[in-house]
PDB file of all heavy atoms in Angstrom:
ATOM      1  N   CYS A 306     -39.087-120.253-124.618  1.00  0.00           N
ATOM      2  CA  CYS A 306     -38.695-120.577-125.966  1.00  0.00           C
ATOM      3  C   CYS A 306     -39.098-119.529-127.024  1.00  0.00           C
ATOM      4  O   CYS A 306     -40.343-119.236-127.070  1.00  0.00           O
ATOM      5  CB  CYS A 306     -39.191-121.972-126.385  1.00  0.00           C
ATOM      6  SG  CYS A 306     -38.957-122.449-128.111  1.00  0.00           S
ATOM      7  N   SER A 307     -38.217-118.915-127.761  1.00  0.00           N
ATOM      8  CA  SER A 307     -38.593-117.885-128.675  1.00  0.00           C
ATOM      9  C   SER A 307     -39.438-118.478-129.815  1.00  0.00           C
ATOM     10  O   SER A 307     -40.289-117.734-130.376  1.00  0.00           O
ATOM     11  CB  SER A 307     -37.319-117.182-129.248  1.00  0.00           C
ATOM     12  OG  SER A 307     -36.568-118.119-129.982  1.00  0.00           O
ATOM     13  N   LEU A 308     -39.212-119.705-130.222  1.00  0.00           N
ATOM     14  CA  LEU A 308     -40.100-120.314-131.244  1.00  0.00           C
ATOM     15  C   LEU A 308     -41.548-120.441-130.773  1.00  0.00           C
ATOM     16  O   LEU A 308     -42.461-120.093-131.535  1.00  0.00           O
ATOM     17  CB  LEU A 308     -39.516-121.707-131.631  1.00  0.00           C
ATOM     18  CG  LEU A 308     -40.134-122.326-132.807  1.00  0.00           C
ATOM     19  CD1 LEU A 308     -39.725-121.661-134.120  1.00  0.00           C
ATOM     20  CD2 LEU A 308     -39.731-123.861-132.918  1.00  0.00           C
ATOM     21  N   CYS A 309     -41.722-120.848-129.557  1.00  0.00           N
ATOM     22  CA  CYS A 309     -43.051-120.909-128.984  1.00  0.00           C
ATOM     23  C   CYS A 309     -43.682-119.552-128.778  1.00  0.00           C
ATOM     24  O   CYS A 309     -44.914-119.404-129.060  1.00  0.00           O
ATOM     25  CB  CYS A 309     -43.045-121.723-127.667  1.00  0.00           C
ATOM     26  SG  CYS A 309     -42.566-123.435-127.767  1.00  0.00           S
ATOM     27  N   ARG A 310     -42.906-118.596-128.425  1.00  0.00           N
ATOM     28  CA  ARG A 310     -43.430-117.222-128.208  1.00  0.00           C
ATOM     29  C   ARG A 310     -43.967-116.764-129.594  1.00  0.00           C
ATOM     30  O   ARG A 310     -44.971-116.150-129.760  1.00  0.00           O
ATOM     31  CB  ARG A 310     -42.327-116.279-127.784  1.00  0.00           C
ATOM     32  CG  ARG A 310     -42.798-114.873-127.523  1.00  0.00           C
ATOM     33  CD  ARG A 310     -41.718-113.971-126.891  1.00  0.00           C
ATOM     34  NE  ARG A 310     -40.585-113.797-127.783  1.00  0.00           N
ATOM     35  CZ  ARG A 310     -39.377-114.402-127.530  1.00  0.00           C
ATOM     36  NH1 ARG A 310     -39.216-115.215-126.445  1.00  0.00           N
ATOM     37  NH2 ARG A 310     -38.358-114.163-128.352  1.00  0.00           N
ATOM     38  N   GLY A 311     -43.134-117.089-130.631  1.00  0.00           N
ATOM     39  CA  GLY A 311     -43.579-116.672-132.032  1.00  0.00           C
ATOM     40  C   GLY A 311     -44.843-117.388-132.457  1.00  0.00           C
ATOM     41  O   GLY A 311     -45.655-116.818-133.133  1.00  0.00           O
ATOM     42  N   ALA A 312     -45.002-118.605-132.003  1.00  0.00           N
ATOM     43  CA  ALA A 312     -46.252-119.335-132.371  1.00  0.00           C
ATOM     44  C   ALA A 312     -47.481-118.686-131.710  1.00  0.00           C
ATOM     45  O   ALA A 312     -48.536-118.671-132.396  1.00  0.00           O
ATOM     46  CB  ALA A 312     -46.092-120.798-131.905  1.00  0.00           C
ATOM     47  N   ALA A 313     -47.357-118.188-130.521  1.00  0.00           N
ATOM     48  CA  ALA A 313     -48.483-117.478-129.880  1.00  0.00           C
ATOM     49  C   ALA A 313     -48.803-116.183-130.693  1.00  0.00           C
ATOM     50  O   ALA A 313     -49.922-115.880-130.829  1.00  0.00           O
ATOM     51  CB  ALA A 313     -48.070-117.135-128.456  1.00  0.00           C
ATOM     52  N   VAL A 314     -47.730-115.486-131.044  1.00  0.00           N
ATOM     53  CA  VAL A 314     -48.010-114.284-131.864  1.00  0.00           C
ATOM     54  C   VAL A 314     -48.702-114.627-133.158  1.00  0.00           C
ATOM     55  O   VAL A 314     -49.610-113.953-133.595  1.00  0.00           O
ATOM     56  CB  VAL A 314     -46.632-113.577-132.177  1.00  0.00           C
ATOM     57  CG1 VAL A 314     -46.772-112.351-133.165  1.00  0.00           C
ATOM     58  CG2 VAL A 314     -45.969-113.113-130.899  1.00  0.00           C
ATOM     59  N   ARG A 315     -48.280-115.687-133.884  1.00  0.00           N
ATOM     60  CA  ARG A 315     -48.832-116.057-135.098  1.00  0.00           C
ATOM     61  C   ARG A 315     -50.263-116.434-134.944  1.00  0.00           C
ATOM     62  O   ARG A 315     -51.107-116.180-135.812  1.00  0.00           O
ATOM     63  CB  ARG A 315     -48.065-117.272-135.784  1.00  0.00           C
ATOM     64  CG  ARG A 315     -46.776-116.875-136.354  1.00  0.00           C
ATOM     65  CD  ARG A 315     -46.211-118.006-137.183  1.00  0.00           C
ATOM     66  NE  ARG A 315     -45.909-119.191-136.510  1.00  0.00           N
ATOM     67  CZ  ARG A 315     -44.734-119.382-135.767  1.00  0.00           C
ATOM     68  NH1 ARG A 315     -43.766-118.413-135.816  1.00  0.00           N
ATOM     69  NH2 ARG A 315     -44.501-120.495-135.138  1.00  0.00           N
ATOM     70  N   MET A 316     -50.687-117.120-133.847  1.00  0.00           N
ATOM     71  CA  MET A 316     -52.076-117.475-133.613  1.00  0.00           C
ATOM     72  C   MET A 316     -52.878-116.214-133.348  1.00  0.00           C
ATOM     73  O   MET A 316     -54.030-116.117-133.901  1.00  0.00           O
ATOM     74  CB  MET A 316     -52.194-118.420-132.382  1.00  0.00           C
ATOM     75  CG  MET A 316     -53.572-119.055-132.370  1.00  0.00           C
ATOM     76  SD  MET A 316     -53.676-120.320-130.940  1.00  0.00           S
ATOM     77  CE  MET A 316     -52.399-121.463-131.389  1.00  0.00           C
ATOM     78  N   LEU A 317     -52.385-115.271-132.576  1.00  0.00           N
ATOM     79  CA  LEU A 317     -53.136-114.088-132.370  1.00  0.00           C
ATOM     80  C   LEU A 317     -53.285-113.263-133.638  1.00  0.00           C
ATOM     81  O   LEU A 317     -54.436-112.728-133.896  1.00  0.00           O
ATOM     82  CB  LEU A 317     -52.371-113.204-131.334  1.00  0.00           C
ATOM     83  CG  LEU A 317     -52.455-113.771-129.934  1.00  0.00           C
ATOM     84  CD1 LEU A 317     -51.355-113.024-129.016  1.00  0.00           C
ATOM     85  CD2 LEU A 317     -53.814-113.549-129.271  1.00  0.00           C
ATOM     86  N   ALA A 318     -52.262-113.282-134.492  1.00  0.00           N
ATOM     87  CA  ALA A 318     -52.319-112.571-135.738  1.00  0.00           C
ATOM     88  C   ALA A 318     -53.278-113.221-136.721  1.00  0.00           C
ATOM     89  O   ALA A 318     -54.090-112.527-137.474  1.00  0.00           O
ATOM     90  CB  ALA A 318     -50.956-112.462-136.442  1.00  0.00           C
ATOM     91  N   LYS A 319     -53.209-114.571-136.766  1.00  0.00           N
ATOM     92  CA  LYS A 319     -54.171-115.316-137.620  1.00  0.00           C
ATOM     93  C   LYS A 319     -55.635-114.979-137.329  1.00  0.00           C
ATOM     94  O   LYS A 319     -56.428-114.933-138.277  1.00  0.00           O
ATOM     95  CB  LYS A 319     -53.947-116.823-137.398  1.00  0.00           C
ATOM     96  CG  LYS A 319     -54.857-117.708-138.153  1.00  0.00           C
ATOM     97  CD  LYS A 319     -54.668-119.175-137.761  1.00  0.00           C
ATOM     98  CE  LYS A 319     -55.661-120.119-138.418  1.00  0.00           C
ATOM     99  NZ  LYS A 319     -55.399-121.568-138.023  1.00  0.00           N
ATOM    100  N   HIS A 320     -55.979-114.777-136.082  1.00  0.00           N
ATOM    101  CA  HIS A 320     -57.345-114.435-135.752  1.00  0.00           C
ATOM    102  C   HIS A 320     -57.614-112.966-135.574  1.00  0.00           C
ATOM    103  O   HIS A 320     -58.629-112.569-135.061  1.00  0.00           O
ATOM    104  CB  HIS A 320     -57.704-115.165-134.408  1.00  0.00           C
ATOM    105  CG  HIS A 320     -57.741-116.696-134.617  1.00  0.00           C
ATOM    106  ND1 HIS A 320     -58.720-117.363-135.123  1.00  0.00           N
ATOM    107  CD2 HIS A 320     -56.844-117.619-134.279  1.00  0.00           C
ATOM    108  CE1 HIS A 320     -58.479-118.723-135.129  1.00  0.00           C
ATOM    109  NE2 HIS A 320     -57.290-118.847-134.585  1.00  0.00           N
ATOM    110  N   ASP A 321     -56.630-112.144-136.035  1.00  0.00           N
ATOM    111  CA  ASP A 321     -56.693-110.733-136.009  1.00  0.00           C
ATOM    112  C   ASP A 321     -57.037-110.184-134.614  1.00  0.00           C
ATOM    113  O   ASP A 321     -57.841-109.286-134.421  1.00  0.00           O
ATOM    114  CB  ASP A 321     -57.818-110.230-136.977  1.00  0.00           C
ATOM    115  CG  ASP A 321     -57.664-108.752-137.327  1.00  0.00           C
ATOM    116  OD1 ASP A 321     -56.497-108.220-137.109  1.00  0.00           O
ATOM    117  OD2 ASP A 321     -58.662-108.105-137.706  1.00  0.00           O
ATOM    118  N   THR A 322     -56.293-110.808-133.580  1.00  0.00           N
ATOM    119  CA  THR A 322     -56.547-110.379-132.189  1.00  0.00           C
ATOM    120  C   THR A 322     -55.241-109.932-131.546  1.00  0.00           C
ATOM    121  O   THR A 322     -55.173-110.003-130.298  1.00  0.00           O
ATOM    122  CB  THR A 322     -57.147-111.522-131.462  1.00  0.00           C
ATOM    123  OG1 THR A 322     -56.424-112.801-131.649  1.00  0.00           O
ATOM    124  CG2 THR A 322     -58.521-111.833-131.824  1.00  0.00           C
ATOM    125  N   LEU A 323     -54.310-109.547-132.309  1.00  0.00           N
ATOM    126  CA  LEU A 323     -53.087-108.968-131.684  1.00  0.00           C
ATOM    127  C   LEU A 323     -53.352-107.654-130.986  1.00  0.00           C
ATOM    128  O   LEU A 323     -54.036-106.797-131.592  1.00  0.00           O
ATOM    129  CB  LEU A 323     -51.974-108.663-132.733  1.00  0.00           C
ATOM    130  CG  LEU A 323     -51.124-109.812-133.197  1.00  0.00           C
ATOM    131  CD1 LEU A 323     -50.095-109.246-134.156  1.00  0.00           C
ATOM    132  CD2 LEU A 323     -50.389-110.466-132.058  1.00  0.00           C
ATOM    133  N   PRO A 324     -52.994-107.492-129.723  1.00  0.00           N
ATOM    134  CA  PRO A 324     -53.165-106.172-129.050  1.00  0.00           C
ATOM    135  C   PRO A 324     -52.369-105.096-129.834  1.00  0.00           C
ATOM    136  O   PRO A 324     -51.360-105.425-130.531  1.00  0.00           O
ATOM    137  CB  PRO A 324     -52.503-106.389-127.703  1.00  0.00           C
ATOM    138  CG  PRO A 324     -52.518-107.902-127.544  1.00  0.00           C
ATOM    139  CD  PRO A 324     -52.315-108.503-128.816  1.00  0.00           C
ATOM    140  N   GLU A 325     -52.829-103.886-129.732  1.00  0.00           N
ATOM    141  CA  GLU A 325     -52.219-102.775-130.566  1.00  0.00           C
ATOM    142  C   GLU A 325     -50.724-102.637-130.247  1.00  0.00           C
ATOM    143  O   GLU A 325     -49.998-102.276-131.222  1.00  0.00           O
ATOM    144  CB  GLU A 325     -52.960-101.474-130.214  1.00  0.00           C
ATOM    145  CG  GLU A 325     -54.362-101.422-130.771  1.00  0.00           C
ATOM    146  CD  GLU A 325     -55.018-100.049-130.527  1.00  0.00           C
ATOM    147  OE1 GLU A 325     -54.313 -99.159-130.067  1.00  0.00           O
ATOM    148  OE2 GLU A 325     -56.166 -99.851-130.815  1.00  0.00           O
ATOM    149  N   TRP A 326     -50.270-102.902-129.037  1.00  0.00           N
ATOM    150  CA  TRP A 326     -48.878-102.676-128.688  1.00  0.00           C
ATOM    151  C   TRP A 326     -47.934-103.756-129.128  1.00  0.00           C
ATOM    152  O   TRP A 326     -46.770-103.592-129.375  1.00  0.00           O
ATOM    153  CB  TRP A 326     -48.691-102.591-127.184  1.00  0.00           C
ATOM    154  CG  TRP A 326     -49.289-103.748-126.430  1.00  0.00           C
ATOM    155  CD1 TRP A 326     -50.548-103.914-125.910  1.00  0.00           C
ATOM    156  CD2 TRP A 326     -48.615-105.025-126.162  1.00  0.00           C
ATOM    157  NE1 TRP A 326     -50.710-105.130-125.287  1.00  0.00           N
ATOM    158  CE2 TRP A 326     -49.553-105.811-125.500  1.00  0.00           C
ATOM    159  CE3 TRP A 326     -47.352-105.570-126.452  1.00  0.00           C
ATOM    160  CZ2 TRP A 326     -49.334-107.130-125.022  1.00  0.00           C
ATOM    161  CZ3 TRP A 326     -47.064-106.856-126.041  1.00  0.00           C
ATOM    162  CH2 TRP A 326     -47.981-107.598-125.319  1.00  0.00           C
ATOM    163  N   MET A 327     -48.529-104.970-129.497  1.00  0.00           N
ATOM    164  CA  MET A 327     -47.663-106.125-129.721  1.00  0.00           C
ATOM    165  C   MET A 327     -46.875-106.095-131.085  1.00  0.00           C
ATOM    166  O   MET A 327     -45.739-106.445-131.060  1.00  0.00           O
ATOM    167  CB  MET A 327     -48.503-107.419-129.612  1.00  0.00           C
ATOM    168  CG  MET A 327     -47.638-108.714-129.696  1.00  0.00           C
ATOM    169  SD  MET A 327     -48.564-110.239-129.540  1.00  0.00           S
ATOM    170  CE  MET A 327     -48.728-110.276-127.685  1.00  0.00           C
ATOM    171  N   PRO A 328     -47.545-105.687-132.167  1.00  0.00           N
ATOM    172  CA  PRO A 328     -46.701-105.688-133.436  1.00  0.00           C
ATOM    173  C   PRO A 328     -45.481-104.879-133.370  1.00  0.00           C
ATOM    174  O   PRO A 328     -44.370-105.292-133.824  1.00  0.00           O
ATOM    175  CB  PRO A 328     -47.723-105.130-134.464  1.00  0.00           C
ATOM    176  CG  PRO A 328     -49.051-105.500-133.929  1.00  0.00           C
ATOM    177  CD  PRO A 328     -48.960-105.380-132.468  1.00  0.00           C
ATOM    178  N   GLN A 329     -45.554-103.654-132.684  1.00  0.00           N
ATOM    179  CA  GLN A 329     -44.411-102.791-132.580  1.00  0.00           C
ATOM    180  C   GLN A 329     -43.330-103.437-131.696  1.00  0.00           C
ATOM    181  O   GLN A 329     -42.113-103.414-132.004  1.00  0.00           O
ATOM    182  CB  GLN A 329     -44.788-101.430-131.983  1.00  0.00           C
ATOM    183  CG  GLN A 329     -43.706-100.416-131.995  1.00  0.00           C
ATOM    184  CD  GLN A 329     -43.221-100.141-133.398  1.00  0.00           C
ATOM    185  OE1 GLN A 329     -43.972-100.115-134.341  1.00  0.00           O
ATOM    186  NE2 GLN A 329     -41.886 -99.816-133.467  1.00  0.00           N
ATOM    187  N   GLU A 330     -43.752-104.091-130.649  1.00  0.00           N
ATOM    188  CA  GLU A 330     -42.758-104.744-129.762  1.00  0.00           C
ATOM    189  C   GLU A 330     -42.100-105.956-130.475  1.00  0.00           C
ATOM    190  O   GLU A 330     -40.849-106.126-130.406  1.00  0.00           O
ATOM    191  CB  GLU A 330     -43.498-105.238-128.525  1.00  0.00           C
ATOM    192  CG  GLU A 330     -42.537-105.904-127.469  1.00  0.00           C
ATOM    193  CD  GLU A 330     -43.178-106.224-126.159  1.00  0.00           C
ATOM    194  OE1 GLU A 330     -43.445-105.268-125.433  1.00  0.00           O
ATOM    195  OE2 GLU A 330     -43.442-107.403-125.883  1.00  0.00           O
ATOM    196  N   CYS A 331     -42.955-106.691-131.219  1.00  0.00           N
ATOM    197  CA  CYS A 331     -42.382-107.904-131.970  1.00  0.00           C
ATOM    198  C   CYS A 331     -41.516-107.569-133.097  1.00  0.00           C
ATOM    199  O   CYS A 331     -40.747-108.437-133.540  1.00  0.00           O
ATOM    200  CB  CYS A 331     -43.557-108.746-132.369  1.00  0.00           C
ATOM    201  SG  CYS A 331     -44.420-109.560-131.074  1.00  0.00           S
ATOM    202  N   LEU A 332     -41.484-106.326-133.598  1.00  0.00           N
ATOM    203  CA  LEU A 332     -40.541-105.954-134.616  1.00  0.00           C
ATOM    204  C   LEU A 332     -39.060-106.028-134.056  1.00  0.00           C
ATOM    205  O   LEU A 332     -38.129-106.072-134.894  1.00  0.00           O
ATOM    206  CB  LEU A 332     -40.826-104.512-135.091  1.00  0.00           C
ATOM    207  CG  LEU A 332     -42.110-104.319-135.934  1.00  0.00           C
ATOM    208  CD1 LEU A 332     -42.316-102.866-136.180  1.00  0.00           C
ATOM    209  CD2 LEU A 332     -41.999-105.110-137.231  1.00  0.00           C
ATOM    210  N   HIS A 333     -38.900-106.081-132.718  1.00  0.00           N
ATOM    211  CA  HIS A 333     -37.608-106.183-132.180  1.00  0.00           C
ATOM    212  C   HIS A 333     -37.392-107.536-131.519  1.00  0.00           C
ATOM    213  O   HIS A 333     -36.367-107.730-130.790  1.00  0.00           O
ATOM    214  CB  HIS A 333     -37.437-105.046-131.088  1.00  0.00           C
ATOM    215  CG  HIS A 333     -37.755-103.739-131.594  1.00  0.00           C
ATOM    216  ND1 HIS A 333     -36.890-102.964-132.434  1.00  0.00           N
ATOM    217  CD2 HIS A 333     -38.893-102.980-131.561  1.00  0.00           C
ATOM    218  CE1 HIS A 333     -37.453-101.845-132.781  1.00  0.00           C
ATOM    219  NE2 HIS A 333     -38.679-101.777-132.222  1.00  0.00           N
ATOM    220  N   ASP A 334     -38.128-108.554-131.887  1.00  0.00           N
ATOM    221  CA  ASP A 334     -37.968-109.865-131.250  1.00  0.00           C
ATOM    222  C   ASP A 334     -36.750-110.519-131.762  1.00  0.00           C
ATOM    223  O   ASP A 334     -36.251-110.329-132.794  1.00  0.00           O
ATOM    224  CB  ASP A 334     -39.205-110.715-131.616  1.00  0.00           C
ATOM    225  CG  ASP A 334     -39.415-111.947-130.697  1.00  0.00           C
ATOM    226  OD1 ASP A 334     -38.830-112.997-131.020  1.00  0.00           O
ATOM    227  OD2 ASP A 334     -40.042-111.830-129.650  1.00  0.00           O
ATOM    228  N   ALA A 335     -36.260-111.444-130.943  1.00  0.00           N
ATOM    229  CA  ALA A 335     -35.025-112.209-131.287  1.00  0.00           C
ATOM    230  C   ALA A 335     -35.279-113.218-132.426  1.00  0.00           C
ATOM    231  O   ALA A 335     -34.363-113.586-133.186  1.00  0.00           O
ATOM    232  CB  ALA A 335     -34.472-113.000-130.047  1.00  0.00           C
ATOM    233  N   ASP A 336     -36.504-113.683-132.599  1.00  0.00           N
ATOM    234  CA  ASP A 336     -36.808-114.586-133.661  1.00  0.00           C
ATOM    235  C   ASP A 336     -37.243-113.894-134.891  1.00  0.00           C
ATOM    236  O   ASP A 336     -38.135-113.039-134.951  1.00  0.00           O
ATOM    237  CB  ASP A 336     -37.997-115.485-133.132  1.00  0.00           C
ATOM    238  CG  ASP A 336     -38.392-116.511-134.195  1.00  0.00           C
ATOM    239  OD1 ASP A 336     -37.602-117.467-134.298  1.00  0.00           O
ATOM    240  OD2 ASP A 336     -39.453-116.396-134.846  1.00  0.00           O
ATOM    241  N   SER A 337     -36.539-114.270-136.013  1.00  0.00           N
ATOM    242  CA  SER A 337     -36.748-113.564-137.322  1.00  0.00           C
ATOM    243  C   SER A 337     -38.159-113.772-137.831  1.00  0.00           C
ATOM    244  O   SER A 337     -38.776-112.864-138.397  1.00  0.00           O
ATOM    245  CB  SER A 337     -35.755-114.022-138.368  1.00  0.00           C
ATOM    246  OG  SER A 337     -35.761-115.397-138.523  1.00  0.00           O
ATOM    247  N   ASP A 338     -38.692-114.984-137.662  1.00  0.00           N
ATOM    248  CA  ASP A 338     -40.109-115.219-138.092  1.00  0.00           C
ATOM    249  C   ASP A 338     -41.139-114.343-137.379  1.00  0.00           C
ATOM    250  O   ASP A 338     -42.005-113.883-137.993  1.00  0.00           O
ATOM    251  CB  ASP A 338     -40.429-116.674-137.953  1.00  0.00           C
ATOM    252  CG  ASP A 338     -39.741-117.603-138.903  1.00  0.00           C
ATOM    253  OD1 ASP A 338     -39.174-117.069-139.963  1.00  0.00           O
ATOM    254  OD2 ASP A 338     -39.573-118.819-138.700  1.00  0.00           O
ATOM    255  N   THR A 339     -40.906-114.182-136.057  1.00  0.00           N
ATOM    256  CA  THR A 339     -41.848-113.308-135.301  1.00  0.00           C
ATOM    257  C   THR A 339     -41.772-111.874-135.778  1.00  0.00           C
ATOM    258  O   THR A 339     -42.801-111.192-135.884  1.00  0.00           O
ATOM    259  CB  THR A 339     -41.482-113.415-133.776  1.00  0.00           C
ATOM    260  OG1 THR A 339     -41.544-114.744-133.410  1.00  0.00           O
ATOM    261  CG2 THR A 339     -42.380-112.562-132.961  1.00  0.00           C
TER     262      THR A 339
END
């Protein structure tokens, strides 16, 4: 589920624990909120 995938990203971002590669990859995600 793209909504659930986005929720995992938001949790990692909230705690400032996104891996370095993830923000760039998520810029191309199918979910607009992600």
Side-chain angles (χ1 to χ4, degrees):
C306 173
S307 61
L308 190 70
C309 293
R310 182 174 64 251
V314 174
R315 285 193 295 276
M316 193 178 301
L317 289 164
K319 173 184 175 181
H320 295 280
D321 197 22
T322 50
L323 277 182
E325 289 185 6
W326 55 267
M327 187 176 278
Q329 188 61 36
E330 181 172 290
C331 288
L332 289 174
H333 307 283
D334 197 271
D336 181 72
S337 58
D338 289 341
T339 302

